[in-house]
Amino acid sequence: MTDLLPRIKELLTWAGGGPAAFADAIGLPRPVMSHILSGRNKPSLEVVQKILAGFPEVQANWLLLGQGEMLKSLDSSSLTQAPSALSHEAAAFSGAGNEKGESAKSIKGEEPAEDALKSGSPTLHKKVKQVLFIYEDGTFDSFQSNE
């Protein structure tokens, strides 16, 4: 079986944001990510599952076996938009909004939740899996869905 570490590093580079943001995005403790990247520990099944859940566009066969392409869909729009996924999530949770009370999503020009409800946006069918609050002092709280 091939080693997962090079593919995890490739995915980390593709996602952008660095190891801490990657670990936060998939709900993995930062030290665990650090130990995997340093080669101290091998990624567990739980880590692989969290990566695949956090990045559903990643092919499981590619991550596990090194077979096929990294992404399920290789159209140019997904390749150019996906690396900002971590920075977008970090922006969404870095604060409730700016000084004017605007949410991070409305600053980025995306539909606020109320507009999404009216427009029938496909995001309405998404279920929240995890919410992560990152505080200024470097601590964080993570809340997981029971579903």
Side-chain angles (χ1 to χ4, degrees):
M1 181 172 209
T2 60
D3 189 24
L4 291 170
L5 183 57
R7 289 185 297 282
I8 291 174
K9 286 182 177 179
E10 184 178 343
L11 180 58
L12 183 89
T13 301
W14 171 81
F22 186 82
D24 292 344
I26 63 172
L28 193 66
R30 291 177 180 187
V32 172
M33 190 77 227
S34 176
H35 292 169
I36 290 169
L37 292 174
S38 71
R40 176 180 173 193
N41 295 348
K42 296 213 177 259
S44 67
L45 175 60
E46 180 183 5
V47 169
V48 172
Q49 289 173 324
K50 286 183 177 205
I51 291 171
L52 293 173
F55 294 92
E57 64 273 21
V58 172
Q59 292 274 11
N61 278 345
W62 173 82
L63 182 61
L64 291 169
L65 306 171
Q67 298 173 350
E69 299 293 328
M70 178 172 75
L71 302 176
K72 292 178 181 176
S73 173
L74 289 177
D75 63 321
S76 60
S77 65
S78 69
L79 288 175
T80 57
Q81 293 174 359
S84 65
L86 288 178
S87 59
H88 172 71
E89 285 185 12
F93 290 109
S94 65
N98 62 11
E99 298 83 13
K100 297 178 185 173
E102 296 172 310
S103 71
K105 287 193 174 199
S106 63
I107 293 169
K108 298 261 184 198
E110 296 177 0
E111 293 181 321
E114 295 154 11
D115 290 343
L117 288 172
K118 292 176 188 173
S119 69
S121 171
T123 59
L124 294 177
H125 302 292
K126 292 183 180 180
K127 294 183 180 179
V128 175
K129 184 173 186 167
Q130 178 180 12
V131 176
L132 184 66
F133 292 100
I134 303 172
Y135 302 103
E136 290 177 342
D137 65 356
T139 62
F140 65 94
D141 286 320
S142 177
F143 302 93
Q144 304 259 346
S145 171
N146 291 332
E147 294 181 20

